[in-house]
């Protein structure tokens, strides 16, 4: 079973964050440029929250706020579930299911070092199953 740390080593692109006083529009631009569905929010380099496409839909659009002048800190989740690089894909999927989240920031040594999405975890699970099938097929064919 792969760990979060192994998934992060295969990740493309650098970790991107945004400060809580940036606007929702700033966060959306970064998310669109990077093709990501969530962005960790930091203050002074420390993780303080997370902003996702779901936050935009529910806390900006549905509440009639304006992206151009709403600070992302006003609409982010401050209850952030995090994982460590040593945790398994299964542990992360269980945490996501239990708390109904799709992104988990990864903390290493008290610092934010990455983020994994449900898509990352599903991709890793599929790759592992494909490897098992290949091994079993080779074993049976021997």
């Amino acid at each position: 079973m792969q760990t979060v740390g192994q998934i992060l080593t295969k990740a493309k692109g650098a970790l991107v964050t945004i400060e809580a006083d940036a606007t929702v529009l700033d966060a959306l631009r970064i998310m669109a440029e990077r093709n990501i569905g969530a962005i960790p929010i930091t203050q002074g380099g420390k993780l303080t929250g997370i902003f996702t496409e779901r936050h935009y839909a529910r806390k900006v659009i549905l509440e009639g706020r304006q992206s151009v002048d709403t600070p992302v800190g006003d609409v982010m989740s401050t209850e952030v579930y995090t994982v460590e690089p040593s945790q398994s894909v299964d542990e992360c999927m269980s945490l996501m299911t239990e708390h109904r989240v799709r992104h988990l920031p990864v903390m290493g040594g008290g610092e934010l070092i990455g983020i994994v999405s449900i898509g990352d975890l599903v991709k890793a699970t599929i790759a592992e199953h494909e490897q098992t099938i290949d091994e079993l097929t080779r074993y049976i064919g021997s």
Side-chain angles (χ1 to χ4, degrees), residues 8 21 27 36 46 65 80 89 106 116:
L8 287 181
D21 60 353
I36 55 177
K46 297 292 182 191
R65 298 176 190 230
V80 182
V89 168
V106 182
V116 291

Side-chain angles (χ1 to χ4, degrees), residues 127-142:
E128 187 171 316
H129 288 304
E130 287 175 345
Q131 181 181 1
T132 301
I133 290 167
D134 287 346
E135 289 172 4
L136 289 172
T137 302
R138 281 195 300 273
Y139 176 76
I140 291 169
S142 309

Side-chain angles (χ1 to χ4, degrees), residues 21 31 42 44-45 53 58-59 68 74 82 99 115 139-140:
D21 60 353
M31 291 164 65
T42 57
E53 293 166 332
R58 295 181 180 180
K59 293 185 176 184
V68 70
D74 288 358
T82 63
H99 297 290
I115 187 168
Y139 176 76
I140 291 169

Side-chain angles (χ1 to χ4, degrees), residues 86-99:
S86 61
Q87 288 184 260
S88 71
V89 168
D90 283 348
E91 288 174 307
C92 292
M93 291 183 99
S94 292
L95 187 64
M96 286 178 164
T97 301
E98 178 183 344
H99 297 290

